[in-house]
Amino acid sequence: MNRRARLLARRSLAVLTAGVGAAAAVSLAGCGSSAVTRPRLERDLPRVFSNLYVQQAAILGHRGITVASLHARAMCDKHGPKVPDRGPGGDWTCLMSWTDPNVTLPDGWGKFELNVHSNACYTATGPTKLVGFLTISDRQGRDVTNPVFEFDGCFDPNGDNSPTGVIFPAALSFGTDPLRPKANGRVTPKITCSLGDKGCSGTVTARVNGVTIGTASYNLEPGRATTLAFTLPGRPTASNLALTAVAGTGTTPTKPTTVAIAAG
């Protein structure tokens, strides 16, 4: 059976087992609660991922990669901060970190999307830029199935449900495209809040040639972006805008971010 056929068969099985799990929901979820919870996913996803990642490392010929050396950790969320982190659905997102000298995690974590069923099983899809595509080349140059491109897992519905304490704070970043002042001298630099815990809040101070031209507040949910408004002094000329953020929640760049201002 080829890879495509296996995937179709697995998804059909997932649909079937999801239906069976729904019928058995009384045994897995009582009084309106659900066995599907954030702590259980945060414990199980790193376990399943680590075992499969070790298999991938062996395929690629990467030595020294073990379940213990990976130190995989996950922080999971169901459909944003306004939805309780409980219950089945295809709207679970987990941020996961791991240690592999062959792979750099630019954000400190990778984003995994999960479809979680009421029978305590799930399908996870990882970021291809970090875990690779559907097939990878082994040490002999042959195309083989990538075990961590998409994978299934099941957790104990009666397992540990205490908080894991794993937190990845959201990070604020600035857009770097040149700013074009409006007729009134106003510029609107873009800010973005990454995925992570609690979102981003704080203040941004803007300076031109060392002179402060204003301070603006921001409050963003994870994964959101907006623009801030500052007014340049005098007639707009080609220059740079230095932006310094002070965080209330989330993290900010450790140094001021410089954005070019185009001549008006």
Side-chain angles (χ1 to χ4, degrees), residues 134-147:
L134 176 64
T135 59
I136 54 178
S137 297
D138 66 9
R139 288 173 291 177
Q140 287 73 41
R142 298 170 299 189
D143 288 340
V144 298
T145 299
N146 181 356

Side-chain angles (χ1 to χ4, degrees), residues 94-205:
C94 294
L95 307 183
M96 185 158 56
S97 67
W98 65 95
T99 302
D100 179 355
N102 305 287
V103 177
T104 301
L105 307 181
D107 298 315
W109 41 258
K111 176 185 174 183
F112 289 73
E113 296 179 350
L114 275 65
N115 186 8
V116 188
H117 308 297
S118 58
N119 64 348
C121 293
Y122 58 87
T123 298
T125 304
T128 55
K129 66 179 181 180
L130 299 178
V131 302
F133 291 95
L134 176 64
T135 59
I136 54 178
S137 297
D138 66 9
R139 288 173 291 177
Q140 287 73 41
R142 298 170 299 189
D143 288 340
V144 298
T145 299
N146 181 356
V148 291
F149 171 77
E150 183 179 273
F151 55 90
D152 297 321
C154 293
F155 58 87
D156 181 357
N158 298 309
D160 189 354
N161 197 35
S162 61
T164 64
V166 177
I167 296 293
F168 296 119
L172 186 78
S173 62
F174 295 100
T176 56
D177 291 338
L179 300 171
R180 296 194 175 277
K182 298 181 180 180
N184 60 1
R186 179 165 292 189
V187 290
T188 53
K190 180 180 179 180
I191 60 172
T192 300
C193 182
S194 75
L195 297 176
D197 185 62
K198 296 181 181 179
C200 307
S201 67
T203 60
V204 173
T205 298

Side-chain angles (χ1 to χ4, degrees), residues 13-25 27-28 118-119:
L13 178 61
V15 172
L16 177 61
T17 55
V20 173
S27 65
L28 293 178
S118 58
N119 64 348

Side-chain angles (χ1 to χ4, degrees), residues 34-107:
S34 172
V36 178
T37 64
R38 171 177 171 172
R40 289 179 180 132
L41 286 174
E42 289 181 346
R43 287 185 169 87
D44 198 71
L45 181 64
R47 176 188 67 82
V48 175
F49 171 81
S50 295
N51 283 289
L52 294 173
Y53 197 91
V54 169
Q55 293 180 26
Q56 186 204 57
I59 292 171
L60 297 173
H62 295 167
R63 297 184 177 182
I65 304 298
T66 66
V67 170
S69 72
L70 288 171
H71 301 292
R73 302 185 307 147
M75 182 187 81
C76 298
D77 173 81
K78 180 177 171 62
H79 203 71
K82 297 181 180 179
V83 176
D85 294 330
R86 176 182 292 271
D91 53 354
W92 279 93
T93 298
C94 294
L95 307 183
M96 185 158 56
S97 67
W98 65 95
T99 302
D100 179 355
N102 305 287
V103 177
T104 301
L105 307 181
D107 298 315

